[in-house]
Amino acid sequence: MRFKTIIEPFRIKTVEPIRQTTPEQRAAALRAACYNLFLLKAEDVLIDLLTDSGTGAMSSNQWAGMMRGDESYAGARSFYAFEGTVREITGFKHIIPTHQGRAAERILFRAALHPGDIVPNNTHFDTTRANVEYRDAVALDLPIPEGRQPHLIHPFKGNIDLEALERTLAANPGKVPLAMITVTNNSGGGQPVSLANLRAASALCHRYHVPFFIDACRFAENAWFIKTREPGYADKTPFEIAHEMFSLADGCTMSAKKDGLANIGGFLALNDDDLAQRCKNNLILTEGFVTYGGLAGYDLEAIAVGLREALDEDYLHYRIRSVEYLAEKLAAAGIPMVRPSGGHALYLDAKAWLPHIPQNEFPAWALSCVLYLEGGIRSVEIGSVMFGLQPDGTEKPPANELVRLAFPRRVYTQSHVDYLAEVLLHVNTLKDRIRGVRMVKSPPTLRHFTAEFEPAHGALIAE
Ligand SMILES: *Cc1c(COP(=O)(O)O)cnc(C)c1O
């Protein structure tokens, strides 16, 4: 690449205004939302980095596909377009559409798991874990030790610990109905998994006759990391790399709201005829007939086009590079974060950045409020509010207090990223004055969505 300026590999045909607000308006909005960013109105947010799920911009080709959508109940043309694309990329035999990734998980686990079973994974995403546990099975996280250290640089921090996987398989014959690897490892910081690790995990599983599945939500971003970081893959296309990843597995679950570049949708894909039949029977019960699975025909078209666009090299380069570029600017200012930056998100390390705020005053939560107050940025806390409350009602602070900045696909431009960097560097100058928050209303489950807070010491930022 001759020039280093990152340009968006698209031009803009439709625009949606975002609204500037004054600091006073943001302070009032934050108070009205009880210091919970989930309770803000989206129109009061300038740059929304709450999630990369379903928030991407569709292309003109996807919209054209939507117009072609065939809404026939059974055997729609749009289903065959979708099925053909998924099969071409993954090589799997049975392609089952679902309304989201979690529906694919529920259907697979309903058919494959029994109470007391164990499902190993590099790290289960929270809906995956919840769906395993709903079957009274154990969701076992086995990331490599490097994956647990936020500041350690490693090219494939998403890898599964192969020795731990082998120990689990050897010690539990008949109790592991399937093993999974999540690419990229979302809960572990959006970190990639190498093809070498996928290959070794696949071989291990097959030696123990255990089916191997991929949680494929960010398969294209993972393929890009393999291309740029794993020896031997620089000359392969993301499509070829993705195909090789899937060739090692017996099936996958997918949320099309991520690397499907769609606003809704997902699928389950697998080779086993008998398991597929049981999944399809269950699909009809809650999602719909096997050729639409809870989606409109036009959604299937949008996904079919989106999956191919997600594998475009220029797009992947722009996407991964934008996040990395922001990380470089913050690193240069000494702002602590999970390194290296992930594919879809950057994770600020609030515990290291704001060491004066005790964990029981929710440092990452307070930081996310300050990012909104100062710059109109919406992020999400991944710390004590999200994970501190145990099922028995006690508090157990997690190891890390992180603030995730997740990047919607194709939505923000280089100047938005420059703005983010400027706000974060400004917040860095205030850091010693940032104060913690107190939880004043705490629902018993998934409390981060609705809990209410107030500043613990009068103001979020001391005079
Ligand atoms: C988003 C996600 C899911 C669940 O998908 P939904 O479409 O939100 O139901 C599962 N696994 C991972 C890794 C995800 O990021």
Side-chain angles (χ1 to χ4, degrees), residues 25 31 38 52-53 57 141 148 209 243 250 257 272 308 311 337 341 346 380 399 414 430 436 452:
Q25 286 170 327
R31 262 195 311 277
F38 281 101
D52 67 322
S53 178
D141 290 342
R148 294 190 196 270
H209 306 289
H243 198 76
D250 300 288
K257 300 173 75 171
D272 185 288
R308 285 183 203 278
L311 287 165
M337 67 198 134
S341 53
L346 195 146
V380 70
Q414 179 68 8
L430 308 173
E452 296 177 5

Side-chain angles (χ1 to χ4, degrees), residues 5 42 53 65 121 144 233 251 258 271 289 295 343 355 393 408 435 437 451:
T5 306
S53 178
N121 198 325
I144 54 169
Y233 288 94
K258 321 302 181 19
N271 287 332
F289 187 60
L295 294 171
R435 298 291 175 260
V437 293

Side-chain angles (χ1 to χ4, degrees), residues 143-365:
I144 54 169
E146 292 87 338
R148 294 190 196 270
Q149 299 176 48
H151 305 267
L152 188 105
I153 304 265
H154 181 288
F156 292 104
K157 274 173 109 172
N159 283 353
I160 197 165
D161 183 333
L162 294 165
E163 282 172 27
L165 177 62
E166 172 145 35
R167 274 198 302 278
T168 305
L169 295 171
N172 299 284
K175 280 278 168 210
V176 183
L178 59 97
M180 292 187 93
I181 288 190
T182 305
V183 301
T184 58
N185 187 2
N186 184 1
S187 307
Q191 302 291 331
V193 179
S194 69
L195 256 170
N197 190 255
L198 286 167
R199 205 175 292 115
S202 164
L204 258 181
C205 289
H206 292 146
R207 180 147 22 102
Y208 285 88
H209 306 289
V210 167
F212 174 57
F213 275 70
I214 295 179
D215 177 338
C217 296
R218 296 179 184 79
F219 74 99
E221 291 171 7
N222 200 80
W224 182 256
F225 283 117
I226 287 172
K227 182 177 168 70
T228 53
R229 293 183 185 173
E230 190 160 353
Y233 288 94
D235 296 330
K236 294 234 189 308
T237 64
F239 181 95
E240 289 166 334
I241 295 170
H243 198 76
E244 188 171 340
M245 286 160 48
F246 287 116
S247 75
L248 299 165
D250 300 288
C252 74
T253 55
M254 173 75 189
S255 168
K257 300 173 75 171
K258 321 302 181 19
D259 278 351
L261 287 173
N263 300 121
I264 196 70
F267 57 85
L268 168 64
L270 70 172
N271 287 332
D272 185 288
D273 294 332
D274 176 58
L275 184 59
Q277 192 53 53
R278 283 182 285 132
C279 290
K280 287 178 187 173
N281 293 343
N282 199 241
L283 182 86
I284 292 174
L285 210 57
T286 58
E287 295 282 299
F289 187 60
V290 292
T291 62
Y292 75 88
L295 294 171
Y298 53 64
D299 294 324
L300 293 166
E301 293 277 355
I303 297 166
V305 178
L307 287 168
R308 285 183 203 278
E309 291 180 348
L311 287 165
D312 178 78
E313 291 201 18
D314 289 343
Y315 157 73
L316 284 168
H317 174 75
Y318 137 81
R319 174 157 179 80
I320 305 296
R321 183 64 198 133
S322 315
V323 179
E324 197 178 65
Y325 166 84
L326 179 59
E328 284 167 7
K329 291 207 158 189
L330 306 191
I335 297 175
M337 67 198 134
V338 176
R339 301 299 307 276
S341 53
H344 67 296
L346 195 146
Y347 296 68
L348 302 169
D349 183 346
K351 207 159 118 179
W353 202 9
L354 310 173
H356 56 283
I357 303 182
Q359 265 184 295
N360 64 8
E361 290 184 7
F362 307 110
W365 193 274

